[in-house]
Amino acid sequence: MHTAFIRVKVAPAAADRAALAMLALVEPTLAEPGCITYEFYRDHDDPSLFLCFEHWQSRQALDDHGSTPHVAAFLAEFGPVIELWESNHASALA
């Protein structure tokens, strides 16, 4: 299994729109081959900071997710207002 933790910070003026768009990514992403978990969280102290928690059957499945039409549409709309995009990839210790 492959796990990814993604931190995305958007311009504050775009935060509410981005939150709705992130929620719209969940259903089509969960339908993708290899997707096990796909969840978004919003930071309590900074409402323009979002965390995405993802479990995939493989790194390849995650990589394929990045080229889907719904991800492309999200990035086309919000790419200009993304101020930070950090990712960590991990495997469980046990």
Side-chain angles (χ1 to χ4, degrees):
M1 180 165 24
H2 187 86
T3 301
F5 301 91
I6 314 295
R7 293 181 66 211
V8 180
K9 182 169 174 56
V10 300
D16 288 339
R17 285 187 312 111
L20 292 174
M22 289 174 188
L23 287 174
L25 289 173
V26 173
E27 185 176 341
T29 298
L30 288 172
E32 291 175 40
C35 184
I36 300 166
T37 304
Y38 192 75
E39 300 172 337
F40 283 99
Y41 299 84
R42 195 172 198 171
D43 189 82
H44 285 228
D45 296 324
D46 180 354
S48 66
L49 177 63
F50 299 90
L51 308 167
C52 183
F53 175 68
E54 310 176 34
H55 277 134
W56 295 85
Q57 288 179 346
S58 67
R59 176 65 190 250
Q60 186 60 54
L62 171 59
D63 290 345
D64 292 346
H65 163 68
S67 61
T68 59
H70 47 277
V71 170
F74 175 84
L75 292 174
E77 182 175 353
F78 292 98
V81 297
I82 292 174
E83 298 177 351
L84 170 77
W85 185 290
E86 293 180 340
S87 60
N88 293 89
H89 300 269
S91 297
L93 292 178

